[in-house]
């Protein structure tokens, strides 16, 4: 489910994401951005408008199992850290693959491993964590 709305209020964004939305973009997005967001959802990614991403980042409360500082990311490999940084910049697995000269499937595997180690469940949580610990 991809949410397209004029309401990018933090409470609305969080409620939609908690209800199972796979992406959230503002109504002012261009046709190209909307098509890209649809394709991103089909690739199992989480497209977010800048305002929606900010709402998630500002509203994300760390659980006891989630790292609260960059030092607690020590279990990640250097490649997994690279992937987390690039996800925080909003890059897709295809874009990450091109940037790091790896396949999109390899990027996805590294991201999945990082998320497992960090106790995260989706890309929006990766973005929120990266910003919280200064990686974004």
């Amino acid at each position: 489910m991809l949410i397209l709305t004029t309401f990018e209020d933090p409470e609305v964004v969080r409620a939609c994401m908690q209800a199972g939305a796979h992406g959230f973009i503002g109504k002012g997005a261009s046709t190209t951005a909307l098509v890209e967001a649809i394709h991103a959802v089909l690739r199992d990614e989480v497209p977010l408008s800048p305002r929606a991403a900010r709402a998630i980042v500002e509203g994300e409360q760390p659980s006891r199992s989630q790292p609260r500082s960059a030092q607690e990311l020590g279990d990640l490999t250097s490649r997994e850290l690279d992937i987390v940084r690039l996800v925080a910049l909003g890059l897709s697995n295809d874009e990450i693959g091109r940037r790091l000269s790896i396949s999109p499937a390899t990027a996805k595997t590294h991201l999945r491993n990082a998320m497992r180690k960090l106790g995260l469940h989706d890309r929006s949580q990766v973005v929120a964590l990266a910003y919280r610990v200064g990686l974004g």
Side-chain angles (χ1 to χ4, degrees):
M1 174 178 21
L2 176 65
I3 304 296
L4 174 64
T5 182
T6 56
F7 302 103
E8 292 185 88
D9 174 57
E11 291 177 16
V12 172
V13 173
R14 285 192 297 274
C16 289
M17 298 305 285
Q18 289 173 349
H22 293 98
F24 197 101
I25 59 174
K27 190 175 178 183
S30 68
T31 303
T32 302
L34 178 58
V35 170
E36 288 175 8
I38 291 168
H39 288 281
V41 168
L42 293 172
R43 290 188 305 265
D44 238 2
E45 297 172 3
V46 182
L48 298 169
S49 69
R51 288 184 68 192
R54 187 172 39 257
I56 290 170
V57 169
E58 290 172 355
E60 184 76 17
Q61 296 300 318
S63 71
R64 290 179 177 235
S65 64
Q66 289 183 6
R68 296 173 192 266
S69 70
Q71 295 168 333
E72 294 179 59
L73 300 177
D75 288 342
L76 298 184
T77 66
S78 61
R79 180 60 86 187
E80 290 165 349
L81 277 171
D82 290 340
I83 301 289
V84 167
R85 283 185 188 99
L86 294 174
V87 167
L89 293 174
L91 274 64
S92 68
N93 291 336
D94 288 338
E95 293 167 324
I96 292 169
R98 282 192 297 276
R99 183 160 303 180
L100 299 178
S101 299
I102 59 177
S103 76
T106 300
K108 186 175 182 176
T109 298
H110 285 303
L111 177 59
R112 187 175 47 244
N113 291 339
M115 289 169 56
R116 179 183 45 78
K117 290 177 181 179
L118 297 170
L120 305 175
H121 303 289
D122 60 43
R123 287 176 93 96
S124 65
Q125 289 180 325
V126 173
V127 171
L129 172 67
Y131 277 91
R132 190 170 53 246
V133 301
L135 293 177

